[in-house]
């Protein structure tokens, strides 16, 4: 299981804030600012991923390199340096059952669980990725270690937990993180 940290506090592609009435996470990433080009390859992603992770990474990287070479994007632009990594995260690394700490526009941290694959309709419409989630609970600073709380305020839009001790802590303390909602 992956633990994700997603910032949805500074942007929204569908003008709705994340929460009970809009239980979908989405990303401003999805095309490295080339939605037409990304849509040309959608048959490799929908209705399900048709490539292994290595081939997907090669495809995304080659498209990004072409965009840079042709002057369509610059690595100095916000979000472009990591857009290929973010695309891989949304399409192949993120899995049903993964947990996501989401910071919404109200500056609330909400723990949720991914419940399905990315939406093809949203991709067609917005050129970005969207996944449905189950809202588990609003998280307060006193409920989690400072390392987790600080990561929800990070500078990156999406980040996957790479530290085993954080995953272990969340798994071990999962019941206490869900108590408020179920009480």
């Amino acid at each position: 299981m992956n633990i994700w940290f997603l910032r949805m506090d500074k942007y929204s592609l569908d003008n709705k804030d994340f929460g009970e009435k809009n239980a979908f996470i989405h990303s401003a990433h999805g095309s490295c600012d080339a939605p037409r080009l990304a849509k040309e390859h959608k048959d490799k992603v929908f209705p399900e991923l048709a490539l292994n992770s290595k081939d997907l990474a090669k495809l995304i990287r080659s498209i990004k390199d072409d965009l840079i070479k042709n002057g369509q994007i610059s690595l100095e632009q916000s979000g472009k340096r990591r857009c290929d990594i973010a695309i891989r995260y949304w399409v192949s690394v993120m899995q049903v059952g993964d947990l996501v700490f989401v910071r919404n526009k109200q500056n609330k941290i909400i723990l949720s669980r991914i419940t399905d694959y990315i939406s093809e309709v949203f991709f067609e419409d917005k050129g970005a990725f969207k996944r449905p989630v189950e809202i588990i609970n609003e998280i307060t600073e006193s409920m989690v270690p400072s390392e987790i709380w600080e990561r929800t305020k990070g500078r990156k839009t999406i980040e996957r937990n790479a530290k085993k001790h954080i995953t272990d802590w969340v798994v071990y303390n999962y019941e206490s993180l869900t108590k408020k909602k179920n009480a």
Side-chain angles (χ1 to χ4, degrees), residues 8 10 12 27 41 62 107 113 124 129 137:
M8 292 181 60
K10 295 191 178 201
S12 179
S27 172
H41 297 280
S62 71
N107 226 17
R113 180 187 320 282
E124 275 292 325
F129 303 117
N137 198 6

Side-chain angles (χ1 to χ4, degrees), residues 25 42 45-49 87 89-92 94 96 114-123 128-132:
I25 56 173
K42 80 174 207 156
V45 177
F46 297 106
E48 62 186 31
L49 185 59
I87 292 169
Y89 281 173
W90 281 92
V91 175
S92 73
M94 196 179 275
V96 171
I114 297 170
T115 60
D116 206 348
Y117 189 59
I118 53 179
S119 165
E120 184 174 2
V121 172
F122 191 80
F123 182 77
F129 303 117
K130 175 179 176 178
R131 283 182 179 258

Side-chain angles (χ1 to χ4, degrees), residues 140-183:
T140 61
E141 189 171 3
S142 64
M143 295 170 74
V144 295
S146 62
E147 186 174 6
I148 290 176
W149 189 256
E150 292 303 315
R151 285 185 80 176
T152 66
K153 296 190 278 184
R155 62 181 179 76
K156 297 176 183 171
T157 304
I158 186 169
E159 187 174 6
R160 181 174 67 139
N161 179 50
K163 296 182 180 180
K164 184 179 179 332
H165 71 277
I166 291 178
T167 302
D168 291 346
W169 187 93
V170 171
V171 169
Y172 182 77
N173 292 284
Y174 180 76
E175 282 188 36
S176 68
L177 293 172
T178 64
K179 275 187 183 166
K180 223 178 203 182
K181 182 178 181 188
N182 297 331

Side-chain angles (χ1 to χ4, degrees), residues 55-74:
D55 290 339
L56 177 66
K58 283 181 188 176
L59 174 65
I60 294 168
R61 187 64 196 184
S62 71
I63 292 170
K64 180 180 171 186
D65 288 345
D66 287 346
L67 291 170
I68 293 167
K69 186 173 79 177
N70 295 331
Q72 292 176 274
I73 67 169
S74 164

Side-chain angles (χ1 to χ4, degrees), residues 18-20 22-25 94 98 100 102 110-116 131-136:
F18 176 77
E20 289 288 343
N22 188 38
F24 294 93
I25 56 173
M94 196 179 275
D98 286 356
V100 187
V102 181
I110 301 171
L111 179 62
S112 58
R113 180 187 320 282
I114 297 170
T115 60
D116 206 348
R131 283 182 179 258
V133 296
E134 167 196 3
I135 303 278
I136 296 171

